[in-house]
Coordinates of all heavy atoms in Angstrom, one line a residue:
M1277 N -57.0 -28.0 -67.5 CA -55.7 -27.9 -66.9 C -55.8 -28.7 -65.5 O -56.8 -28.5 -64.8 CB -55.4 -26.5 -66.6 CG -54.6 -25.8 -67.7 SD -53.8 -24.3 -67.2 CE -55.1 -23.1 -67.6
T1278 N -54.8 -29.5 -65.3 CA -54.7 -30.2 -64.0 C -54.1 -29.3 -62.9 O -53.7 -28.2 -63.2 CB -53.9 -31.5 -64.1 OG1 -52.6 -31.1 -64.6 CG2 -54.6 -32.4 -65.1
G1279 N -54.1 -29.8 -61.7 CA -53.6 -29.0 -60.6 C -52.2 -28.3 -60.7 O -52.1 -27.1 -60.7
P1280 N -51.1 -29.1 -61.0 CA -49.8 -28.4 -61.1 C -49.7 -27.5 -62.3 O -49.1 -26.4 -62.1 CB -48.9 -29.6 -61.3 CG -49.6 -30.8 -60.7 CD -51.0 -30.5 -61.0
T1281 N -50.3 -27.8 -63.4 CA -50.3 -27.0 -64.6 C -51.0 -25.7 -64.3 O -50.5 -24.6 -64.7 CB -50.9 -27.7 -65.8 OG1 -50.4 -29.0 -65.9 CG2 -50.7 -26.9 -67.1
K1282 N -52.1 -25.8 -63.6 CA -52.9 -24.6 -63.3 C -52.1 -23.7 -62.3 O -52.1 -22.5 -62.5 CB -54.2 -25.0 -62.6 CG -55.3 -24.0 -62.6 CD -56.6 -24.6 -62.1 CE -57.8 -23.7 -62.3 NZ -59.0 -24.3 -61.7
G1283 N -51.5 -24.3 -61.4 CA -50.7 -23.5 -60.4 C -49.5 -22.8 -61.1 O -49.3 -21.6 -60.8
I1284 N -48.9 -23.4 -62.0 CA -47.8 -22.8 -62.8 C -48.3 -21.7 -63.6 O -47.7 -20.6 -63.7 CB -47.0 -23.9 -63.6 CG1 -46.3 -24.8 -62.7 CG2 -46.1 -23.2 -64.6 CD1 -45.7 -26.0 -63.4
A1285 N -49.4 -21.9 -64.2 CA -50.0 -20.8 -65.1 C -50.4 -19.6 -64.2 O -50.2 -18.4 -64.7 CB -51.3 -21.4 -65.8
I1286 N -51.0 -19.8 -63.1 CA -51.4 -18.7 -62.2 C -50.1 -17.9 -61.7 O -50.1 -16.7 -61.7 CB -52.2 -19.2 -61.0 CG1 -53.6 -19.7 -61.5 CG2 -52.3 -18.2 -59.9 CD1 -54.4 -20.4 -60.5
I1287 N -49.1 -18.7 -61.3 CA -47.8 -18.0 -60.9 C -47.2 -17.2 -62.0 O -46.8 -16.1 -61.9 CB -46.8 -19.1 -60.3 CG1 -47.4 -19.6 -59.0 CG2 -45.5 -18.5 -60.2 CD1 -46.6 -20.8 -58.5
A1288 N -47.2 -17.8 -63.3 CA -46.6 -17.1 -64.4 C -47.4 -15.8 -64.7 O -46.8 -14.7 -65.0 CB -46.6 -18.0 -65.6
L1289 N -48.7 -15.9 -64.6 CA -49.6 -14.7 -64.9 C -49.3 -13.6 -63.8 O -49.2 -12.5 -64.1 CB -51.0 -15.1 -64.9 CG -52.0 -14.1 -65.3 CD1 -51.8 -13.6 -66.7 CD2 -53.5 -14.6 -65.1
A1290 N -49.2 -14.1 -62.5 CA -48.9 -13.1 -61.5 C -47.5 -12.4 -61.7 O -47.4 -11.2 -61.5 CB -48.9 -13.8 -60.1
V1291 N -46.5 -13.2 -62.1 CA -45.2 -12.6 -62.4 C -45.3 -11.6 -63.5 O -44.8 -10.5 -63.4 CB -44.2 -13.7 -62.7 CG1 -42.9 -13.1 -63.3 CG2 -43.9 -14.5 -61.5
I1292 N -46.0 -11.9 -64.6 CA -46.2 -10.9 -65.7 C -46.9 -9.7 -65.3 O -46.4 -8.6 -65.6 CB -47.0 -11.6 -66.9 CG1 -46.1 -12.7 -67.5 CG2 -47.4 -10.6 -67.9 CD1 -46.9 -13.7 -68.4
V1293 N -47.9 -9.8 -64.5 CA -48.6 -8.6 -64.0 C -47.7 -7.8 -63.1 O -47.7 -6.5 -63.2 CB -49.9 -9.0 -63.2 CG1 -50.5 -7.9 -62.4 CG2 -50.9 -9.6 -64.2
M1294 N -47.0 -8.4 -62.2 CA -46.1 -7.6 -61.3 C -45.0 -6.9 -62.1 O -44.7 -5.8 -61.8 CB -45.4 -8.6 -60.3 CG -46.4 -9.1 -59.2 SD -47.3 -7.8 -58.3 CE -45.9 -7.1 -57.4
V1295 N -44.4 -7.6 -63.1 CA -43.4 -6.9 -63.9 C -43.9 -5.7 -64.6 O -43.3 -4.7 -64.7 CB -42.7 -7.9 -64.9 CG1 -41.9 -7.3 -65.9 CG2 -41.9 -8.9 -64.1
S1296 N -45.1 -5.9 -65.2 CA -45.7 -4.7 -66.0 C -46.0 -3.6 -65.1 O -45.8 -2.4 -65.4 CB -46.9 -5.2 -66.8 OG -47.7 -5.9 -66.1
L1297 N -46.5 -3.9 -63.9 CA -46.8 -2.8 -62.9 C -45.6 -2.1 -62.5 O -45.5 -0.9 -62.3 CB -47.5 -3.4 -61.7 CG -49.0 -3.7 -61.9 CD1 -49.5 -4.4 -60.6 CD2 -49.8 -2.5 -62.2
N1298 N -44.5 -2.9 -62.3 CA -43.2 -2.3 -61.9 C -42.7 -1.4 -62.9 O -42.2 -0.3 -62.6 CB -42.2 -3.5 -61.6 CG -41.3 -3.2 -60.5 OD1 -41.3 -2.1 -60.0 ND2 -40.5 -4.2 -60.1
I1299 N -42.8 -1.8 -64.2 CA -42.3 -1.0 -65.3 C -43.1 0.3 -65.4 O -42.5 1.4 -65.5 CB -42.4 -1.7 -66.7 CG1 -41.4 -2.9 -66.7 CG2 -42.2 -0.8 -67.8 CD1 -41.5 -3.8 -67.8
A1300 N -44.4 0.2 -65.2 CA -45.2 1.5 -65.2 C -44.9 2.4 -64.1 O -44.8 3.6 -64.3 CB -46.7 1.1 -65.1
M1301 N -44.6 1.8 -62.9 CA -44.2 2.7 -61.8 C -42.9 3.4 -62.0 O -42.7 4.6 -61.7 CB -44.1 1.8 -60.5 CG -43.8 2.5 -59.2 SD -43.5 1.5 -57.8 CE -41.9 0.8 -58.3
W1302 N -41.9 2.6 -62.5 CA -40.6 3.3 -62.8 C -40.7 4.4 -63.8 O -40.1 5.4 -63.7 CB -39.6 2.2 -63.3 CG -38.9 1.5 -62.2 CD1 -39.2 0.2 -61.8 CD2 -38.0 2.0 -61.2 NE1 -38.4 -0.1 -60.7 CE2 -37.7 1.0 -60.3 CE3 -37.4 3.3 -61.1 CZ2 -36.8 1.2 -59.3 CZ3 -36.5 3.5 -60.1 CH2 -36.2 2.4 -59.2
R1303 N -41.5 4.2 -64.9 CA -41.7 5.2 -65.9 C -42.3 6.5 -65.3 O -41.9 7.6 -65.6 CB -42.6 4.7 -67.0 CG -41.9 3.8 -68.0 CD -42.7 3.5 -69.1 NE -42.0 2.6 -70.1 CZ -42.6 1.9 -71.0 NH1 -43.9 1.9 -71.1 NH2 -41.9 1.1 -71.8
R1304 N -43.3 6.3 -64.4 CA -44.0 7.4 -63.8 C -43.0 8.1 -62.8 O -43.0 9.4 -62.8 CB -45.2 6.9 -63.0 CG -46.0 8.0 -62.3 CD -47.2 7.5 -61.6 NE -48.2 7.1 -62.5 CZ -49.3 6.5 -62.2 NH1 -49.5 6.2 -60.9 NH2 -50.2 6.1 -63.1
M1305 N -42.2 7.4 -62.1 CA -41.2 8.0 -61.2 C -40.2 8.8 -62.0 O -39.8 9.9 -61.6 CB -40.5 6.9 -60.4 CG -41.3 6.4 -59.2 SD -40.5 5.1 -58.3 CE -39.0 5.9 -57.8
R1306 N -39.7 8.2 -63.1 CA -38.7 9.0 -63.9 C -39.3 10.2 -64.5 O -38.7 11.3 -64.6 CB -38.2 8.0 -65.0 CG -37.2 7.0 -64.5 CD -36.7 6.1 -65.6 NE -36.3 6.8 -66.8 CZ -36.1 6.3 -67.9 NH1 -36.3 5.0 -68.1 NH2 -35.8 7.0 -69.0
G1307 N -40.6 10.2 -64.9 CA -41.3 11.3 -65.5 C -41.4 12.4 -64.4 O -41.2 13.6 -64.7
G1308 N -41.8 12.0 -63.2 CA -41.9 13.0 -62.1 C -40.6 13.6 -61.7 O -40.5 14.8 -61.5
L1309 N -39.5 12.8 -61.8 CA -38.2 13.4 -61.5 C -37.8 14.4 -62.5 O -37.3 15.4 -62.2 CB -37.2 12.2 -61.4 CG -35.8 12.6 -61.0 CD1 -35.8 13.1 -59.6 CD2 -34.9 11.3 -61.0
A1310 N -38.0 14.1 -63.8 CA -37.7 15.0 -64.9 C -38.5 16.3 -64.7 O -38.0 17.4 -64.9 CB -38.0 14.4 -66.2
A1311 N -39.8 16.2 -64.4 CA -40.6 17.4 -64.2 C -40.1 18.2 -63.0 O -40.1 19.5 -63.1 CB -42.1 17.0 -64.0
A1312 N -39.7 17.6 -61.9 CA -39.2 18.3 -60.8 C -37.9 19.0 -61.1 O -37.7 20.2 -60.7 CB -38.9 17.3 -59.6
K1313 N -37.0 18.4 -61.9 CA -35.7 19.0 -62.3 C -36.0 20.2 -63.2 O -35.4 21.2 -63.1 CB -34.8 18.0 -63.0 CG -34.2 17.0 -62.0 CD -33.2 16.1 -62.8 CE -32.5 15.2 -61.8 NZ -31.6 14.3 -62.5
A1314 N -37.0 20.0 -64.1 CA -37.3 21.1 -65.0 C -37.9 22.3 -64.2 O -37.5 23.5 -64.5 CB -38.3 20.7 -66.0
E1315 N -38.7 22.0 -63.2 CA -39.3 23.1 -62.4 C -38.2 23.8 -61.6 O -38.1 25.0 -61.5 CB -40.3 22.6 -61.4 CG -40.9 23.7 -60.6 CD -41.8 23.1 -59.5 OE1 -41.9 21.9 -59.3 OE2 -42.5 24.0 -58.8
Q1316 N -37.2 23.1 -61.1 CA -36.1 23.6 -60.3 C -35.2 24.5 -61.2 O -34.8 25.6 -60.8 CB -35.3 22.5 -59.7 CG -34.2 23.1 -58.7 CD -33.5 22.0 -58.0 OE1 -33.9 20.8 -58.1 NE2 -32.6 22.4 -57.2
A1317 N -35.0 24.1 -62.5 CA -34.2 24.8 -63.4 C -34.9 26.1 -63.8 O -34.3 27.2 -64.0 CB -33.9 24.0 -64.6
A1318 N -36.3 26.0 -63.9 CA -37.1 27.2 -64.4 C -37.2 28.2 -63.2 O -37.3 29.4 -63.5 CB -38.4 26.7 -64.9
N1319 N -37.3 27.7 -62.0 CA -37.6 28.6 -60.8 C -36.5 28.4 -59.7 O -36.9 27.9 -58.7 CB -39.0 28.4 -60.3 CG -40.1 28.6 -61.3 OD1 -40.1 29.6 -62.0 ND2 -41.0 27.6 -61.4
P1320 N -35.3 28.7 -59.9 CA -34.3 28.4 -58.9 C -34.5 29.2 -57.6 O -34.0 28.7 -56.6 CB -33.0 28.8 -59.6 CG -33.4 29.7 -60.7 CD -34.8 29.4 -61.1
E1321 N -35.2 30.3 -57.7 CA -35.4 31.0 -56.4 C -36.3 30.3 -55.4 O -36.4 30.7 -54.3 CB -36.0 32.4 -56.7 CG -37.4 32.4 -57.3 CD -37.5 32.2 -58.8 OE1 -36.4 32.0 -59.4 OE2 -38.6 32.2 -59.3
L1322 N -37.1 29.3 -55.9 CA -38.0 28.5 -55.0 C -37.2 27.4 -54.2 O -37.9 26.7 -53.4 CB -39.1 27.9 -55.8 CG -40.0 28.9 -56.5 CD1 -41.1 28.2 -57.3 CD2 -40.7 29.9 -55.5
F1323 N -36.0 27.2 -54.5 CA -35.2 26.1 -53.9 C -34.0 26.6 -53.2 O -33.3 27.6 -53.7 CB -34.8 25.1 -55.0 CG -36.0 24.5 -55.7 CD1 -36.6 25.1 -56.8 CD2 -36.6 23.3 -55.3 CE1 -37.7 24.6 -57.5 CE2 -37.7 22.8 -55.9 CZ -38.2 23.4 -57.0
D1324 N -33.6 25.9 -52.1 CA -32.3 26.3 -51.5 C -31.2 25.6 -52.1 O -31.3 24.8 -53.1 CB -32.4 26.0 -50.0 CG -32.6 24.6 -49.6 OD1 -32.5 23.7 -50.5 OD2 -32.8 24.3 -48.4
E1325 N -30.0 25.7 -51.6 CA -28.8 25.1 -52.2 C -28.8 23.6 -52.2 O -28.1 23.0 -53.0 CB -27.5 25.7 -51.6 CG -27.3 25.5 -50.1 CD -28.0 26.6 -49.3 OE1 -28.4 27.6 -49.8 OE2 -28.1 26.4 -48.1
D1326 N -29.5 23.0 -51.3 CA -29.6 21.5 -51.3 C -30.6 21.0 -52.3 O -30.6 19.8 -52.6 CB -30.1 21.0 -49.9 CG -29.1 21.3 -48.8 OD1 -28.0 21.5 -49.1 OD2 -29.6 21.3 -47.6
G1327 N -31.3 21.9 -52.9 CA -32.3 21.4 -53.9 C -33.7 21.2 -53.2 O -34.6 20.8 -53.9
S1328 N -33.8 21.5 -51.9 CA -35.1 21.4 -51.2 C -35.9 22.6 -51.5 O -35.5 23.7 -51.6 CB -34.9 21.3 -49.7 OG -34.0 20.1 -49.4
R1329 N -37.2 22.3 -51.6 CA -38.1 23.4 -51.9 C -38.3 24.3 -50.7 O -38.5 23.8 -49.6 CB -39.5 22.8 -52.3 CG -40.4 23.8 -52.9 CD -41.7 23.1 -53.4 NE -42.6 24.1 -54.1 CZ -42.5 24.4 -55.4 NH1 -41.7 23.8 -56.1 NH2 -43.4 25.3 -55.9
I1330 N -38.3 25.6 -50.9 CA -38.5 26.6 -49.8 C -40.0 26.8 -49.7 O -40.7 27.1 -50.7 CB -37.8 27.9 -50.1 CG1 -36.3 27.7 -50.2 CG2 -38.1 28.9 -49.0 CD1 -35.5 28.9 -50.8
S1331 N -40.6 26.6 -48.5 CA -42.0 26.7 -48.4 C -42.4 28.1 -48.1 O -41.7 29.0 -47.7 CB -42.6 25.8 -47.3 OG -41.8 25.9 -46.1

């Protein structure tokens, strides 16, 4: 691979890695949100009316 081709390949690889990391992060965040909502529904006495956890 010559200079410009190598540069394009490295940039494309970096974009693919960033997109896959981003997708993994969003899935984890959505899973955490679902778990938090389930906990709030199961234990409403632990949360105030705003949905904040009472310590």
Side-chain angles (χ1 to χ4, degrees):
M1277 269 194 270
T1278 58
T1281 311
K1282 197 174 192 181
I1284 291 170
I1286 289 171
I1287 291 170
L1289 187 62
V1291 167
I1292 291 168
V1293 169
M1294 290 302 293
V1295 167
S1296 48
L1297 285 174
N1298 215 352
I1299 291 170
M1301 184 187 71
W1302 276 108
R1303 283 188 180 161
R1304 182 178 290 174
M1305 282 176 59
R1306 283 180 46 200
L1309 185 62
K1313 284 184 178 179
E1315 182 188 6
Q1316 188 172 357
N1319 302 311
E1321 67 277 0
L1322 298 177
F1323 299 88
D1324 62 10
E1325 58 274 350
D1326 293 341
S1328 301
R1329 192 176 183 90
I1330 301 169
S1331 50

